[in-house]
Amino acid sequence: MQMSGIPFGTTDWETIERTEHAGETGTATWRTQRFGEIRVRMVEYSAGYLADHWCEKGHILLCLDGELLTELSDGRTFLLTPGMSYQVADGAEPHRSSTKTGARLFIVD
């Protein structure tokens, strides 16, 4: 990831417009900022959320609140709790997320 042409700035995430994205079950609420080619999001998953697709996009993801279960297409699963993160490259390992209790995440991709 090359980060250039981005002046110093701060983000008050509460002021960023929310967009809702339906999962197979539950919803994801995104607050999104773009800095050139880099997308930065604050994402909240409702309790009972299950992604409606296998994602092949690379991310760096930090769990801020709740619990996030990430399943890889090969069947492996990983439970993230607050303070834990994962990273995966574009096209490396298809993954999808779910949560029983809800989760709040900070994602860079």
Side-chain angles (χ1 to χ4, degrees), residues 7-69:
F8 179 85
T10 63
T11 301
D12 178 353
W13 289 99
E14 291 299 315
T15 67
I16 305 300
E17 180 182 351
R18 294 175 182 218
T19 58
E20 280 204 8
H21 305 265
E24 189 172 303
T25 58
T27 58
T29 303
W30 297 8
R31 295 175 190 255
T32 305
Q33 289 279 75
R34 291 196 176 271
F35 304 98
E37 297 289 317
I38 300 167
R39 178 174 69 172
V40 180
R41 297 177 287 159
M42 188 72 69
V43 175
E44 294 181 42
Y45 289 144
S46 67
Y49 176 81
L50 171 62
D52 65 351
H53 66 285
W54 289 93
C55 182
E56 294 193 31
K57 176 75 177 131
H59 314 283
I60 298 172
L61 180 150
L62 172 65
C63 181
L64 300 171
D65 293 307
E67 291 185 345
L68 180 73
L69 183 67

Side-chain angles (χ1 to χ4, degrees), residues 73-87:
S73 62
D74 66 8
R76 290 180 291 158
T77 61
F78 301 88
L79 182 64
L80 273 65
T81 56
M84 294 179 71
S85 64
Y86 78 68
Q87 54 285 326

